[in-house]
């Protein structure tokens, strides 16, 4: 299923805007952490774990993902996970990475907020010094829990509010619409000055995307691919220039589309939507961001110029200062492949 990454894709400067840190653990690392931290998993080794990476839907993935993240126990675990992703991404010519973390999953296991937030931010600072990669953290609400739980999580993040980019919404989508979290997103925006992004239109229909746009007033839509089922909504998203963080390999692995040729990325792109390409949970879905670009090029015949346009979108959609954004866009425009 994986397509070879061309030299053009590998060398192209890009941003990644949709990647869950807990979903970046490679199977070997996950098993090592389980052994070191005394966490019992129903897999003998990394190969057996990897064989379980076959999913029927979002829920079957999330069950394994929530189990896998329990191997993270110490600050050092969170630091190394973050640093490893940033090091790998810098090699893939990702210049800027905005990543998700699910605090509620860790708070519920009894970990203190500082145990995981501080090392993640420290890894960003160190990776920036070492590789020049910029980026930041977007805590993501687990939508299966009540809004009160999300409000408590956001209150607990107050000490870090100026070092956090925004607030996201993830987890099982159907039955947990964006409107469930109206207050917490209003607080994040008004009291903390955070940007807003939400998973919508992955498993849920276009009505979920519409709620994210109209009720949460999102700055970006994560996935959003099912907006194409409502042409008026698609026109609204295009008109507002709202970016979509599309994760093609994830969408095929979680059966949003039966295979890559059936993915609607071409229709979204041709409709003028601000499409960006991302990896979601790279080891679980068979590829990092470059493999995602390669997969859509192979299946949909996008030209290198079209991929460059999507990379440009990734910088336009990033929560970056205008001067740094300008530097990245200039670098991309000068990039000849
Ligand atoms: N958490 C990690 N990956 C996710 C996805 N694809 N959808 C919702 N929640 C997630
Ligand atoms: Zn996601």
């Amino acid at each position: 299923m994986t397509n070879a990454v061309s030299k053009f894709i590998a060398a192209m400067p890009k941003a990644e805007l949709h990647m869950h840190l807990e979903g970046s653990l490679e199977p070997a690392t996950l098993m090592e952490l389980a052994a070191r931290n005394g966490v019992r998993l129903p897999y003998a080794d990394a190969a057996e774990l990897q064989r379980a990476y076959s999913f029927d839907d979002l829920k079957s993935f999330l069950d394994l993902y929530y189990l896998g993240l329990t191997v993270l126990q110490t600050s050092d675990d969170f630091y190394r996970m973050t640093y490893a992703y940033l090091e790998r991404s810098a090699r893939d010519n990702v210049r800027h990475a905005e990543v998700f973390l699910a605090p509620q999953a860790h708070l519920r296991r009894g970990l203190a907020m500082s145990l995981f937030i501080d090392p993640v931010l420290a890894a960003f600072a160190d990776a920036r010094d070492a590789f020049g990669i910029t980026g930041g953290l977007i805590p993501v609400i687990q939508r299966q829990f009540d809004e009160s739980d999300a409000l408590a999580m956001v209150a607990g993040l107050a000490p870090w509010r100026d070092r956090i980019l925004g607030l996201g919404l993830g987890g099982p989508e159907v039955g947990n619409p964006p409107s469930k979290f109206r207050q917490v997103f209003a607080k994040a925006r008004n009291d903390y000055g955070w940007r807003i992004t939400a998973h919508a239109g992955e498993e849920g229909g276009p009505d979920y995307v519409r709620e994210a746009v109209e009720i949460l007033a999102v700055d970006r839509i994560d996935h959003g691919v099912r907006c194409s089922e409502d042409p008026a909504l698609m026109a609204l998203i295009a008109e507002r220039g709202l970016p979509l963080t599309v994760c093609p390999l994830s969408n095929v692995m979680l059966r949003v589309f039966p295979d890559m040729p059936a993915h609607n990325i071409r229709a979204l792109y041709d409709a003028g939507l601000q499409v960006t390409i991302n990896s979601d949970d790279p080891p679980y879905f068979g590829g990092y961001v470059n493999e995602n670009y390669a997969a859509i090029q192979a299946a949909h015949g996008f030209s290198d110029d079209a991929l460059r346009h999507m990379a440009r979108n990734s910088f336009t959609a990033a929560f970056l200062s205008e001067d740094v954004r300008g530097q990245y866009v200039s670098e991309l425009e000068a990039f000849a492949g």
Side-chain angles (χ1 to χ4, degrees):
M1 176 152 153
T2 41
N3 300 99
V5 172
S6 68
K7 282 193 184 139
F8 181 90
I9 291 171
M12 178 172 69
K14 60 190 77 75
E16 175 150 62
L17 306 176
H18 185 158
M19 206 295 299
H20 301 259
L21 276 175
E22 300 92 338
S24 72
L25 285 174
E26 290 285 343
T29 313
L30 202 153
M31 293 306 293
E32 273 165 39
L33 287 174
R36 181 167 344 128
N37 292 332
V39 177
R40 292 178 66 86
L41 295 176
Y43 306 100
D45 54 30
E48 196 180 320
L49 173 62
Q50 182 125 35
R51 280 197 291 279
Y53 292 180
S54 161
F55 309 109
D56 297 326
D57 51 20
L58 177 60
K59 182 190 182 303
S60 63
F61 159 69
L62 289 172
D63 288 346
L64 187 58
Y65 170 85
Y66 291 136
L67 177 67
L69 63 76
T70 64
V71 304
L72 295 160
Q73 297 281 344
T74 70
S75 282
D76 193 52
D77 299 340
F78 284 90
Y79 178 90
R80 284 168 189 258
M81 169 176 71
T82 309
Y83 195 86
Y85 163 75
L86 293 169
E87 181 173 28
R88 156 87 207 228
S89 296
R91 258 191 280 129
D92 285 351
N93 285 301
V94 173
R95 296 284 185 270
H96 180 81
E98 297 179 2
V99 304
F100 297 126
L101 184 83
Q104 287 158 293
H106 308 302
L107 295 170
R108 283 171 172 260
R109 298 188 291 122
L111 306 188
M113 195 77 92
S114 56
L115 181 139
F116 51 87
I117 299 290
D118 284 331
V120 168
L121 295 176
F124 265 100
D126 291 352
R128 184 179 185 151
D129 289 347
F131 315 115
I133 187 169
T134 57
L137 180 61
I138 303 178
V140 61
I141 293 169
Q142 285 179 271
R143 66 202 308 156
Q144 64 269 45
F145 304 127
D146 291 346
E147 188 176 40
S148 59
D149 207 75
L151 280 162
M153 185 258 283
V154 168
L157 286 166
W160 295 272
R161 56 189 256 185
D162 297 333
R163 296 198 286 150
I164 283 174
L165 297 174
L167 184 63
L169 180 64
E173 188 178 352
V174 169
N176 299 296
S179 53
K180 183 176 165 185
F181 299 97
R182 194 188 296 255
Q183 288 179 62
V184 66
F185 279 101
K187 177 181 164 61
R189 185 188 296 284
N190 299 332
D191 296 359
Y192 287 9
W194 283 357
R195 312 300 289 273
I196 303 299
T197 173
H199 285 55
E202 175 191 24
E203 178 189 49
D207 44 326
Y208 282 60
V209 180
R210 190 176 280 279
E211 281 197 2
V213 173
E214 293 184 346
I215 297 178
L216 303 186
V218 288
D219 297 293
R220 294 198 297 248
I221 303 163
D222 295 314
H223 296 294
V225 292
R226 291 192 57 194
C227 74
S228 64
E229 294 168 30
D230 177 348
L233 174 65
M234 212 164 149
L236 176 74
I237 292 170
E239 182 193 306
R240 294 204 185 165
L242 268 178
L244 302 189
T245 63
V246 179
C247 306
L249 290 172
S250 164
N251 292 157
V252 173
M253 284 292 284
L254 300 189
R255 310 210 186 175
V256 179
F257 301 98
D259 53 29
M260 198 55 79
H263 197 288
N264 68 351
I265 184 76
R266 168 59 77 182
L268 298 173
Y269 182 80
D270 287 350
L273 267 55
Q274 205 190 136
V275 168
T276 69
I277 301 301
N278 307 272
S279 66
D280 210 3
D281 303 279
Y284 286 96
F285 301 142
Y288 285 76
V289 66
N290 287 349
E291 284 79 18
N292 277 272
Y293 278 99
I296 61 159
Q297 184 163 52
H300 291 276
F302 285 109
S303 65
D304 283 348
D305 252 5
L307 298 188
R308 187 207 307 264
H309 185 79
M310 294 180 205
R312 191 181 207 285
N313 288 344
S314 71
F315 293 125
T316 312
F319 301 148
L320 270 169
S321 68
E322 291 314 316
D323 60 325
V324 179
R325 189 195 317 284
Q327 288 168 30
Y328 287 142
V329 170
S330 303
E331 188 195 351
L332 180 64
E333 279 166 359
F335 170 70

